[in-house]
Amino acid sequence: MQCKALRDSAEEIQRYDVAYFMVSVDTLEDNTAFAEENNADYPILANPEKDMVEAYGALRPNGVAHRWTFYIGADGDILKIDKETDPETAGEVMARTMGELGFPQI
């Protein structure tokens, strides 16, 4: 659902000068198949070792990642973490939040 929400909001998201992607603790092969199945037009990164997800504090005790959205500025600073990400509205909320945070538009 979240994958499709980002895909369906691509036009609004791509108005901003940003790179956006998802991170999963699944394997590269699983993520590639998932991306193809859902026609994702953005990268889905694989972190089966879970080290990056853990470094961002987004690893649940059961070993899966939280569905959080991190907004990171061009300088690498985390501007906001949305810990209430709703998979159904993730794309439209992302676009709106980038505007509120003052991300540059193309």
Side-chain angles (χ1 to χ4, degrees), residues 7-9 13 19 24 28-29 32 34 41-42 50 52 54-55 60 62 64 66 70 73-74 78 92 95 97-99:
R7 180 201 64 208
D8 294 347
S9 295
I13 294 169
S24 169
L28 177 60
E29 295 78 18
T32 300
F34 180 80
D41 58 354
Y42 54 87
K50 304 177 184 182
M52 183 183 71
E54 187 171 31
R60 292 179 169 187
N62 65 357
V64 299
H66 285 282
F70 288 78
I78 296 174
E92 60 191 68
T97 302
M98 287 189 297

Side-chain angles (χ1 to χ4, degrees), residues 10-105:
E11 186 175 317
E12 292 84 5
I13 294 169
Q14 293 171 3
R15 290 182 184 150
Y16 295 92
D17 187 17
V18 298
Y20 66 104
F21 51 87
M22 289 182 138
V23 178
S24 169
V25 296
D26 293 327
T27 66
L28 177 60
E29 295 78 18
D30 287 346
N31 283 346
T32 300
F34 180 80
E36 289 173 359
E37 178 182 322
N38 289 285
N39 298 315
D41 58 354
Y42 54 87
I44 301 177
L45 307 180
N47 184 225
E49 301 83 9
K50 304 177 184 182
D51 55 337
M52 183 183 71
V53 174
E54 187 171 31
Y56 276 86
L59 188 64
R60 292 179 169 187
N62 65 357
V64 299
H66 285 282
R67 290 183 181 270
W68 295 348
T69 303
F70 288 78
Y71 297 88
I72 303 173
D75 60 2
D77 287 343
I78 296 174
L79 304 176
K80 179 178 180 169
I81 303 171
D82 180 357
K83 293 184 177 182
E84 302 296 323
T85 302
D86 179 347
E88 287 187 46
T89 60
E92 60 191 68
V93 170
M94 181 187 291
R96 182 176 64 243
T97 302
M98 287 189 297
E100 292 168 357
L101 293 172
F103 279 71
Q105 291 193 14

